[in-house]
């Protein structure tokens, strides 16, 4: 896993609520047996028409917007447990997703893939959308160490929550499996204790 | 004083990371072909084996055809995924119920059926509807593929402890109202994010009165309001269901297990982070009108008008109406539909087939309706035949397909065409869930049966 550094970037606005995992990556693209290539099908049904041509009105097809941060409406990532959703977002080139609310499993899956979910207040989110509608080149700065996000267009900052363990993992680029493997003796001891 | 959830969680805590998640021991792990290949690849890359092969069970279900299962799978990409599952099972020494096996079926149906699912367990699967197994009084939840790899390698997972919520349903359900209606009602009240961060315990008279199948339907849908999972304290019904199943404890082990299971309930006075109470009598047969499971209403009700929707949600609401071809404020009862799907891990159990068949008995399927009746497993299929339901269905103009996830997520050929309306007993009405452009109306087995007969959205009680 890549280490997460402080990130300043323009951002892509998706002001839609309840974006579910079937929109992030539709089920028919889940037939792969590797993690590669999902970025091309991120938001496939919104991004391409029936013939596979890019739809001009979808934000990812609009050259005005770009960047390594995706900003979405509340309850992002609801629905299935498919980690393919996180792979698609990372595969496309995003490093962080900002919303006022995330679905649980999606949040876990993101963190396990070095994608930082940043939870902001409803007001802060509305201002981010407002800033980018005035200037598509507006930027955000995400400082994981300090747990702050700054809307550089307004200069306003907000701090965000992240589990200290997960933060450590992201900063160091470590994953949970490494950690669990180091706990083998504890696992064996636990199993010995089980009477049922 | 502890809640049921606390008791099971604490009994499975191996260690706690300082300021971090719990290292939780997993008793039962299920895998299917879609969310596991990358996890097995991960093991290979790291040179790891599966720590406890006897605790993981594999099945092929998401990608499988529902006709001619005895012939090779036509779609080469699906076939590759199924072959990969078989290869992984063989390489890592795991039990697989592959296509053609008489224990094959949808993962959340075969677990309970074969006695793998038991009270007090921790159960995970790379699938959000793992919450189904909570019906037995276990902590069961869906995980991502990285977590599948963790469980394979260490039989443990790192999870932050969720908050607890109790949802109580007082009183009795009205006639013609199913567990699915109760769940859709609850999700409409809470919204799809309303239980995010929580693990829910269901309680109250209406829940106690439910059969195990109904409890599974309810727990299955916990995830649709964002909950990590849902569970119900085990009781005599639970024990009777589990007893004698192939992988359930036997003899002395049974007695010991039973004694422990009887302790699995929330202590009087234990505190939940949140409590909600509903009256079962308020619940009517339900349908959804939009593109998430929280957009539900009584079958004879009208869609909300725009001014009833809060401002930040209006773009999404209008988008959803455009997708469905409905207008805000519109009544849906009496509208024509094109497809009916009975199946999935939500409503693909024997009781659902009984309810559906009882309803259509002596009537005829509407000419304009394509009906896909897909049993959740081969065991359900066998029961359908043995109980004589099959003949009644055929007599009424229906046919039976072979088990699998089918049109629930339309990864195989069972796709609803763009623009067509489907009354579906599955769990998600997301855009494109049942095929690109497909319009899904979620409902229980009785509303589905009524629609299959009339070809229209129909209140089963008016029939
Ligand atoms: S039936 Fe549907 S929800 Fe259930 S496991 Fe299969 S795809 Fe998932």
């Amino acid at each position: 896993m890549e280490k997460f550094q402080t990130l300043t970037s323009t951002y892509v606005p998706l002001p839609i609520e309840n974006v579910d995992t079937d929109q992030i990556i539709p089920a028919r693209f889940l037939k792969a047996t590797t993690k590669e290539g999902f970025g091309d099908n991120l938001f496939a049904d919104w991004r391409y028409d029936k013939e596979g041509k890019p739809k001009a009105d979808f934000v990812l097809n609009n050259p005005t917007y770009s960047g390594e941060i995706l900003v979405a409406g509340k309850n992002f990532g609801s629905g299935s447990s498919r980690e393919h959703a996180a792979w698609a977002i990372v595969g496309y080139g995003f490093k962080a997703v900002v919303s006022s609310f995330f679905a649980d499993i999606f949040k876990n899956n993101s963190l396990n893939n070095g994608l930082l979910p940043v939870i902001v207040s409803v007001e802060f989110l509305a201002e981010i959308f407002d800033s980018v509608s005035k200037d598509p080149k507006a930027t955000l700065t995400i400082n994981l160490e300090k747990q702050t996000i700054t809307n550089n267009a307004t200069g306003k900052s907000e701090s965000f929550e992240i589990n200290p363990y997960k933060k450590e993992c992201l900063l160091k680029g470590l994953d949970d499996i490494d950690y669990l493997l180091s706990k083998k003796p504890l696992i064996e001891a636990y199993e010995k204790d089980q009477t049922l | 004083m502890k809640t049921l959830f606390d008791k099971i969680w604490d009994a499975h805590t191996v260690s706690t990371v300082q300021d971090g998640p719990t290292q939780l021991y997993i008793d039962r792990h299920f895998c299917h072909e879609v969310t596991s290949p990358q996890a097995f690849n991960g093991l290979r890359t790291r040179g790891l084996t599966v720590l406890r092969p006897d605790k993981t069970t594999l099945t092929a279900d998401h990608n499988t055809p529902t006709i001619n299962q005895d012939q090779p799978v036509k779609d080469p990409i699906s076939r590759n995924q199924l072959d990969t599952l078989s290869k992984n099972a063989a390489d890592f020494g795991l039990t697989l119920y592959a296509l053609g096996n008489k224990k094959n079926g949808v993962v959340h149906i075969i677990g309970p059926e074969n006695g793998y699912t038991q009270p007090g367990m921790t159960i995970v699967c790379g699938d959000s509807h793992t919450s189904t197994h909570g019906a037995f009084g276990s902590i069961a939840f869906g995980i991502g593929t990285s977590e599948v790899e963790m469980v394979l390698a260490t039989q443990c997972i790192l999870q932050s402890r969720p908050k607890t919520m109790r949802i109580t349903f007082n009183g009795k359900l009205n006639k013609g109202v199913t567990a699915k209606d109760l769940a859709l009602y609850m999700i409409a009240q809470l919204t799809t994010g309303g239980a995010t961060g929580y693990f829910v315990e269901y309680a109250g008279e209406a829940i106690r009165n439910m059969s195990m199948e109904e409890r599974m339907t309810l727990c299955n849908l916990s995830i649709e309001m964002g909950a990590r999972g849902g569970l119900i304290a085990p009781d005599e019904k639970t024990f009777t269901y589990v007893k004698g199943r192939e992988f359930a404890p036997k003899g002395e082990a049974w007695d010991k297990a039973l004694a422990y299971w009887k302790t699995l309930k929330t202590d009087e006075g234990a505190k939940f982070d949140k409590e909600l109470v509903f009256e079962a009598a308020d619940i009517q047969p339900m349908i959804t009108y939009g593109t998430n499971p929280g957009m539900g209403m009584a079958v004879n009700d009208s869609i909300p008008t725009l001014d009833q929707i809060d401002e930040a949600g209006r773009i999404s609401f209008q988008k959803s109406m455009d997708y469905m071809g409905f207008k805000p404020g519109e009544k849906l009862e009496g509208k024509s539909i094109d497809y009916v799907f009975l199946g999935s891990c939500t409503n693909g159990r024997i009781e659902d087939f009984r309810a559906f068949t009882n309803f259509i008995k002596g009537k005829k399927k509407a000419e304009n309706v394509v009906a896909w009746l897909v049993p959740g497993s081969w065991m359900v299929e066998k029961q359908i035949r043995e109980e004589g339901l099959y003949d009644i269905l055929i007599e009424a103009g229906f046919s039976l397909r072979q088990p699998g996830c089918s049109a629930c997520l339309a990864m195989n050929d069972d796709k609803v065409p763009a623009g067509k309306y489907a009354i579906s007993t599955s769990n998600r009405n997301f855009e494109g869930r049942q095929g690109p452009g497909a319009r899904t109306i979620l409902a229980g087995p009785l509303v589905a049966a009524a629609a299959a007969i009339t070809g229209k959205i129909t209140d089963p009680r008016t029939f």
Side-chain angles (χ1 to χ4, degrees), chain B residues 105-122:
Chain B
V106 178
V107 58
H108 310 307
I109 305 237
I110 66 163
E113 252 175 15
N114 288 290
Y116 283 117
T117 303
Q118 296 163 23
M121 281 185 159
T122 44

Side-chain angles (χ1 to χ4, degrees), chain A residues 19-37:
Chain A
V19 174
D20 58 72
T21 48
D22 277 74
Q23 300 332 309
I24 299 173
I25 183 88
R28 59 185 187 284
F29 298 113
L30 306 187
K31 295 184 184 182
T33 52
T34 65
K35 294 182 186 178
E36 279 74 47

Side-chain angles (χ1 to χ4, degrees), chain A residues 17 20 22-23 30-34 46 75 79-81 83 104 109 164-165 175 178 190-191 195-196, chain B residues 11 19 25 38 41 46 52 75 78 81 127 144-146 158 192 197 256 260 316 319 411 428 431 433:
Chain A
E17 297 187 348
D20 58 72
D22 277 74
Q23 300 332 309
L30 306 187
K31 295 184 184 182
T33 52
T34 65
W46 288 343
N75 199 20
S80 86
S81 64
E83 198 159 317
D104 268 340
N109 286 342
Y165 164 82
D175 70 20
D178 301 324
Y190 174 87
E191 286 178 333
T195 46
L196 261 184
Chain B
D19 296 327
Y25 192 83
Q38 292 86 352
N41 282 347
R46 292 175 199 247
R52 299 288 171 245
D75 174 11
S78 296
Q81 212 169 40
D127 194 285
T145 299
S146 300
L158 289 175
T192 53
K256 215 169 139 195
Y260 171 58
S316 314
K319 192 170 177 298
M411 264 188 94
R428 286 184 178 143
E431 285 183 29
R433 173 79 177 185

Side-chain angles (χ1 to χ4, degrees), chain B residues 61-62 106-108 127 129 344-345 405 408-409 427 433:
Chain B
D61 56 3
H62 280 60
V106 178
V107 58
H108 310 307
D127 194 285
H129 293 96
S344 86
C345 59
C405 292
C408 176
L409 91 166
N427 40 59
R433 173 79 177 185

Side-chain angles (χ1 to χ4, degrees), chain B residues 350-377:
Chain B
I350 186 64
E351 275 205 356
D352 302 309
F353 279 83
R354 284 185 199 134
F356 187 97
T357 309
N358 264 337
F359 192 94
I360 59 98
K361 192 174 179 173
K363 307 183 181 85
K364 282 274 177 248
K365 182 181 81 68
E367 296 272 337
N368 63 317
V369 169
V370 177
W372 288 331
L373 312 186
V374 185
S377 70

